[in-house]
Amino acid sequence: AGSSAGLTEEQKEFQKVALDFASKEMAPHMAEWDEKEIFPVETMRKAAQLGFGGIYVKPDVGGSGLSRLDTSIIFEALSTGCTSTTAYMSIHNMCVWMIDTFGSEEQRRRFCPSLCSMEKFASYCLTEPGSGSDAASLLTSAQRKGDTYVLNGSKAFISGGGDTDVYVVMCRTGGPGPKGISCLVLEKGTPGLSFGKKEKKVGWNSQPTRAVIFEDCVVPVGNRLGAEGQGFSIAMKGLNGGRINIASCSLGAAHASVLLAQEHLTVRKQFGEPLANNQYLQFGLAEMEGREDAAVLCSMAKLFATDECFAICNQALQMHGGYGYLKDYAVQQFVRDIRVHQILEGTNEVMRMIVARNLLQG
């Protein structure tokens, strides 16, 4: 399972480990996690023992030190077992990478090891009730008081919110626009940090989603990642990787759905080929993340893979006929779980804008 053409021996090994984990530890529980809205903490900790808690984090703080392409391969493979759980793991990995990359030595050592082992879990807090796509207009404010910040405001649709331990929060320390934003790391239990009700979602049910609320929440200045005013840039660099990760999760879901449709029809339909092509596009893009135009390339990958793979999962459901609409068949869950990939981490409308803007600048 999984196309391994063009991969190195080492990458084929990662892929096999991840596919085995997906089929043994995730796929058998995928429907139950969805139905009962279980956040499968112990399963994710088992995945972290294989190195999947900090895949592209440096080894000196417990990460696996793998490339973005390796990461893509792993998330695609894991997603065949449960897309929703893998998508949360990809967000967790993005948060740990942000701390590893932009944190001081002290912050890296303080936060990364327990996140890489998934003893602790992380949430990314950018979106607000009033600013989704226009994230640079966020209102959550952090007022400097001595060697602390006092945080007030709220974040919406936060994956893991309420169940996770570490919150990577974008907040306004300065004037309007992106340059006034800083990034603070908060720990659960900080006085003034609370959570909204658990949202009822169409899919992504193996991860809780809640609003995160700050009421005079006091955070040490030592918990700021990078310099004041660097927060928006840190958030966007995190999302470049996050978008590739979500695209990879979509590929895994599409791959699994095609196999389910093939089993259902016992016929190889026209899907094998385009899917493999997607994969090569994806791999090429994952490798380009260090480039100047990384944001555009990552946006293209996210736009193409999430749209295309939703269409493939939907077609696979169609090929099941009436059975595809029953919860006894896994294909409907892939469709429900993957639908949100076209919305989050930058809506596909915004991805089109980023790509178009770049073409016009050409």
Side-chain angles (χ1 to χ4, degrees):
S3 172
S4 57
L7 302 186
T8 65
E9 286 312 307
E10 197 183 13
Q11 285 166 341
K12 287 178 186 164
E13 194 50 43
F14 300 144
Q15 188 183 49
K16 185 181 178 314
V17 169
L19 284 168
D20 283 352
F21 187 85
S23 70
K24 295 191 176 89
E25 302 287 345
M26 295 170 89
H29 308 290
M30 171 178 138
E32 186 193 5
W33 293 342
D34 174 67
E35 187 68 32
K36 297 183 180 162
E37 299 188 3
I38 293 166
F39 190 42
V41 167
E42 290 313 320
T43 302
M44 291 192 284
R45 285 181 180 147
K46 276 190 197 168
Q49 287 175 357
L50 299 173
F52 301 157
I55 303 175
Y56 52 109
V57 171
K58 295 184 201 75
D60 65 325
V61 286
S64 298
L66 298 181
S67 74
R68 290 310 180 91
L69 175 52
D70 302 335
T71 305
S72 241
I73 295 164
I74 289 165
F75 284 137
E76 182 180 344
L78 290 175
S79 188
T80 62
C82 178
T83 300
S84 161
T85 305
T86 305
Y88 168 73
M89 289 174 65
S90 82
I91 295 168
H92 171 90
N93 267 268
M94 172 174 75
C95 291
V96 195
W97 175 82
M98 288 165 70
I99 298 172
D100 179 38
T101 306
F102 299 102
S104 65
E105 278 307 301
E106 185 276 325
Q107 289 168 331
R108 292 178 67 239
R109 299 201 182 288
R110 177 154 51 111
F111 292 114
C112 294
S114 59
L115 290 169
C116 288
S117 68
M118 285 185 141
E119 174 200 333
K120 292 189 170 167
F121 294 93
S123 288
Y124 178 86
C125 305
L126 174 63
T127 300
E128 297 186 356
S131 66
S133 295
D134 180 20
S137 67
L138 64 84
L139 295 173
T140 295
S141 72
Q143 297 277 315
R144 181 80 186 247
K145 278 216 176 113
D147 54 2
T148 65
Y149 288 102
V150 181
L151 206 53
N152 281 287
S154 63
K155 298 291 179 181
F157 307 125
I158 302 304
S159 291
D163 283 45
T164 49
D165 310 283
V166 173
Y167 296 83
V168 180
V169 180
M170 293 354 114
C171 52
R172 192 165 299 288
T173 50
K179 301 247 183 310
I181 296 172
S182 299
C183 178
L184 300 179
V185 181
L186 271 69
E187 293 179 84
K188 193 179 185 180
T190 302
L193 172 61
S194 64
F195 307 95
K197 66 167 185 17
K198 183 167 157 184
E199 307 288 1
K200 298 292 287 178
K201 302 193 299 294
V202 169
W204 267 33
N205 288 318
S206 70
Q207 44 169 305
T209 301
R210 293 184 180 87
V212 177
I213 301 154
F214 314 103
E215 295 166 294
D216 290 332
C217 202
V218 179
V219 186
V221 168
N223 281 27
R224 188 186 68 220
L225 286 189
E228 266 201 12
Q230 202 191 341
F232 194 70
S233 155
I234 292 174
M236 292 303 109
K237 289 197 171 107
L239 279 182
N240 281 343
R243 286 166 181 161
I244 295 281
N245 295 344
I246 284 293
S248 303
C249 290
S250 291
L251 281 170
H255 186 82
S257 297
V258 169
L259 293 179
L260 289 169
Q262 283 175 358
E263 273 167 38
H264 192 72
L265 301 175
T266 59
V267 179
R268 283 195 170 274
K269 284 285 177 189
Q270 71 271 24
F271 288 131
E273 199 39 47
L275 202 63
N277 294 347
N278 280 359
Q279 201 170 39
Y280 297 127
L281 174 81
Q282 176 80 16
F283 284 170
L285 286 160
E287 291 296 69
M288 292 173 184
E289 235 178 281
R291 292 179 30 173
E292 285 297 289
D293 47 356
V296 177
L297 294 167
C298 295
S299 297
M300 284 162 80
K302 198 262 183 188
L303 173 63
F304 180 76
T306 59
D307 279 352
E308 196 65 22
C309 294
F310 180 77
I312 290 170
C313 289
N314 206 26
Q315 182 63 38
L317 185 151
Q318 187 72 17
M319 289 160 99
H320 281 70
Y323 294 104
Y325 210 63
L326 300 180
K327 288 216 169 166
D328 310 351
Y329 289 76
V331 72
Q332 50 75 34
Q333 189 176 335
F334 283 112
V335 172
R336 284 186 294 110
D337 283 344
I338 199 181
R339 177 63 184 83
V340 76
H341 296 189
Q342 293 165 294
I343 299 171
L344 49 74
E345 297 200 7
T347 65
N348 282 6
E349 290 72 24
V350 170
M351 297 302 98
R352 278 190 192 88
M353 265 166 44
I354 292 173
V355 172
R357 198 182 303 146
N358 185 65
L359 290 173
L360 294 170
Q361 282 166 356

